[in-house]
Each structure stands twice: as structure tokens, then as C-alpha cells.
Amino acid sequence: MFVDEVDIHVFAGNGGNGCLSFRREKFVPRGGPDGGDGGPGGSVYIVAAPRKNTLVDFRFHPEFKAPAGRHGQGANRTGATGRDLVIEVPIGTLVYEGPAEGQHEAPGVGPDAQPLADLAADGERVLVARGGRGGRGNARFVSSTNRAPRRTEPGEAGEERRLRLQLKLIADVGLIGFPNAGKSTLISRISAARPKIADYPFTTLVPNLGVVTLGDDRSFVVADVPGLIEGAHEGHGLGDRFLRHIERTKVLVHLVDVSGASGRDPVHDFEVILNELRQFNPAVAAKPQIVAANKIDALDDPERLSALRAHVEHLGLPFHEISGVSGTGVPALLEAAWTSIAAARVVAPEDAGADVEEGPDLLSSARLRRDA
């Protein structure tokens, strides 16, 4: 099951209580207070891990609680610190402030919302809930005027937060196009991915990832995005649920069915999908695009192919004629995609995966904005 959006509830551990204790030993006339401090509670971190590729585990296990710190003890013994809880999520997960209890929509989740953290690289992590501080024992309150204090402090409560996790797949190439344009067939030919292939619309209901190997140690990741239709940015068809998965891609390969089996005009299909990209996010529509006229082995009217070629070349986009079934033109398409990927990597090199430790400050800022 592919799940790309979940709400979770995290609890940091409470701090342990300070201890009230006095030293009492035979032949020791002046014992005095010796109550130790409580240990701090464990914090909750979210970390990006390559072994995860979906958020399905969180659908059935939405609550996470870090261990509490142990209470202080006599003989000035400090309680043990609660272990930090590390929650692993897929690479490409965004962390947002989640909806309040009883609500379905989160105040900060929307097309223009800024995530609290964007875990886009292996090992990136963010602190989402800080453990409570341990309370002080009575040995901490000794003074010249109070030699036997009976005062202690309870441990502080750990932070509690509701979060929304959204997954955006990280791929170099995104395959886009109308339903039944041949995206699943193509990705099954060029990679080891085996999506469902059938002769009816919306065969693919979830994105599929495949690794393409060209030789000479050249490889890239392709994402097959479920079929888009007119009005997808407004929720039509599969809606904009999967459009966000192409936001991280470097190159878009636009597959257009020119066989005539769909009964649609290829030029119109191309313009509809291009307009949906503009409506969803202009930055996505501005990504490098390669247009591939698919199913040329079943072409019944050469004029359909000529019209699409003239339209695409007028826009200055690369154009390829392919057949995902027979493999005609596919090697040239992959080489063109690699050239575009290499150029994109030079323009915007990927950052190394570093720890994202700004989580508490970001969360505090979001809380201040919400309360304002």
C-alpha cells in the first residue's frame, strides 16, 4: 500500500522528579540532604532513511512516545535519562504542523505553506518534541540559612505535538501524460519496475519508481505519475494528490498517445497537461521537458504525428518518436533525458545530507504565528 500523507501525534518523555532524601549513617552525626536530580525525558526526532519508501506504517501506528526520565534517588544519584525516540521516514518527507485534535485540516498545510522541515537527503533529521527537564532534588537547595531543605522539584512535562507528514518522491525524471498514454509500459521496459498495465484509464493508482541504467555507471530514477486529466489541479480525476511528486524531479518526459485509439487530439492532450502544470505550480511547468510521441507502432494517421511535432518544435522542446511496446526510439529518449539531467545537476547541485536541527525553533515560530 502506497501512503503519502499521514497525521501523527508525538510525545516527548517527561523529566523525572527530584528526590527528597537525607543521609543517615551510624557514627555520622551530620548527614545532611542528599536527594538527587531527576533525569531528563527523551526527545523525539524524525530522520530520513533510505529503507523507507512509504508512510503506510504511520497509518496504523500514529502515536509515538519517548521514554520518561527516571526519578532522582538518595546518595545524590541522578535519575537515568530517557532514551531519545527516532522516527524513520522516507527520503523526501516534509513535516508540517498538524491539525488540532478533532480537526481534519491543519492550519499550516496548503499549496503555499512552508514545512517545518524538508528531509530531502539520507540522514537528515529534525527535533520535533523536546524532552522535559528533570526536577532538582533537595540537595540542590542547601544554603547557609537552610541546612536541611525539604524542597524538591517535579520533572517538567515533555512536549506534545501533532504533525502532518507529506511524502514527495525524489526522482530525476517524471513521466507525465493522460491516462493510457503508455507511462507504465515505458517504465516497465526501461527499468525493473512492474506496474499494473491494462487497456483502461487510471490503471496506475499510485506512483511507481524505477531505476534506469545506461551503462558507463550512468543511472537515474524515473517516477511514473498516475494519469492526469483536465482539471487535475482542482481535484478532478486523481486530482492534485500526485502532482506534488513531480515537484522534485529535474526533467519531465511528456508522453502523448498518437495512435488514435483514445479518440483525442495529441496536440490538445499536450496543451491540457501543460496547462495543468502551470495551474498547479508554475515552477513545475518551467522544468526542462521532453515530449515523446508514444505508440507510433499503432499510428493510423501520420498527420496526427506531424501536427504534434510541428507544435512541439514551435515551442522549442525536444521531440522523440517512440513505442513503449516495441522499444523503437526508447534508447534515444533515455540519452536525451540523461543529457537534460546532467545539465540540471550542474545548475543546481544537490546538497549533502546534513542534520536539520532547527526543528524546535521552527515549531516555536509556527506556534507563535498560530497564536497571534
Side-chain angles (χ1 to χ4, degrees), residues 207-219:
N208 293 291
L209 287 179
V211 178
V212 178
T213 303
L214 299 179
D216 302 328
D217 295 328
R218 295 183 301 160
S219 64

Side-chain angles (χ1 to χ4, degrees), residues 1 41 50 61 72 75 112 128 162 169 182 196 246 248 291:
M1 181 186 297
H61 182 204
D112 300 323
V128 294
R162 295 180 181 272
L169 294 179
K196 181 179 179 180
I246 61 176
R248 297 187 190 272
V291 181

Side-chain angles (χ1 to χ4, degrees), residues 74-365:
N76 289 311
R77 288 177 293 180
T78 300
T81 300
R83 286 192 306 171
D84 292 336
L85 177 62
V86 178
I87 303 173
E88 293 186 344
V89 298
I91 297 174
T93 299
L94 290 87
V95 182
Y96 291 90
E97 184 179 10
E101 187 174 2
Q103 296 181 351
H104 296 289
E105 291 301 324
V109 180
D112 300 323
Q114 294 297 319
L116 303 175
D118 184 357
L119 307 178
D122 182 14
E124 282 191 345
R125 53 189 260 162
V126 59
L127 173 63
V128 294
R130 190 183 300 276
R133 184 176 63 86
R136 292 181 290 177
N138 66 331
R140 292 280 192 173
F141 298 97
V142 175
S143 66
S144 60
T145 58
N146 187 1
R147 307 300 299 177
R150 294 183 173 273
R151 176 185 171 188
T152 62
E153 285 182 344
E156 293 181 352
E159 293 181 326
E160 171 188 351
R161 288 204 165 84
R162 295 180 181 272
L163 304 171
R164 174 160 292 178
L165 306 181
Q166 282 189 354
L167 174 61
K168 290 184 181 180
L169 294 179
I170 296 180
D172 298 300
V173 175
L175 299 181
I176 58 175
F178 262 77
N180 279 115
K183 299 183 297 298
S184 297
T185 300
L186 178 60
I187 197 173
S188 67
R189 169 168 283 276
I190 63 179
S191 73
R194 292 296 178 264
K196 181 179 179 180
I197 301 174
D199 189 20
Y200 57 83
F202 299 109
T203 307
T204 303
L205 298 178
V206 298
N208 293 291
L209 287 179
V211 178
V212 178
T213 303
L214 299 179
D216 302 328
D217 295 328
R218 295 183 301 160
S219 64
F220 57 89
V221 180
V222 177
D224 165 22
V225 180
L228 306 176
I229 63 173
E230 190 170 3
H233 72 281
E234 297 176 341
H236 297 179
L238 292 178
D240 59 355
R241 177 181 174 188
F242 298 122
L243 276 170
R244 66 171 173 266
H245 290 296
I246 61 176
E247 288 185 309
R248 297 187 190 272
T249 58
K250 298 178 178 63
V251 179
L252 299 178
V253 174
H254 194 137
L255 260 64
V256 184
D257 181 1
V258 296
S259 67
S262 66
R264 299 188 305 267
D265 177 32
V267 175
H268 178 262
D269 283 1
F270 172 76
E271 283 297 326
V272 166
I273 300 302
L274 198 59
N275 182 62
E276 289 303 315
L277 297 180
R278 295 192 189 103
Q279 295 291 332
F280 173 72
N281 187 343
V284 173
K287 289 179 178 291
Q289 291 191 40
I290 300 174
V291 181
N294 195 22
K295 304 185 182 181
I296 60 171
D297 55 332
L299 181 64
D300 56 354
D301 183 4
E303 184 60 30
R304 298 165 59 84
L305 179 60
S306 300
L308 179 62
R309 174 188 289 276
H311 183 74
V312 171
E313 291 180 348
H314 176 71
L315 297 177
L317 298 176
F319 183 80
H320 290 264
E321 301 175 16
I322 70 166
S323 170
V325 174
S326 66
T328 303
V330 172
L333 174 64
L334 297 181
E335 289 293 340
W338 172 257
T339 301
S340 296
I341 292 169
R345 286 176 176 173
V346 171
V347 173
E350 295 179 345
D351 296 330
D355 284 357
V356 181
E357 294 295 348
E358 298 83 2
D361 295 335
L362 289 172
L363 288 167
S364 300
S365 300

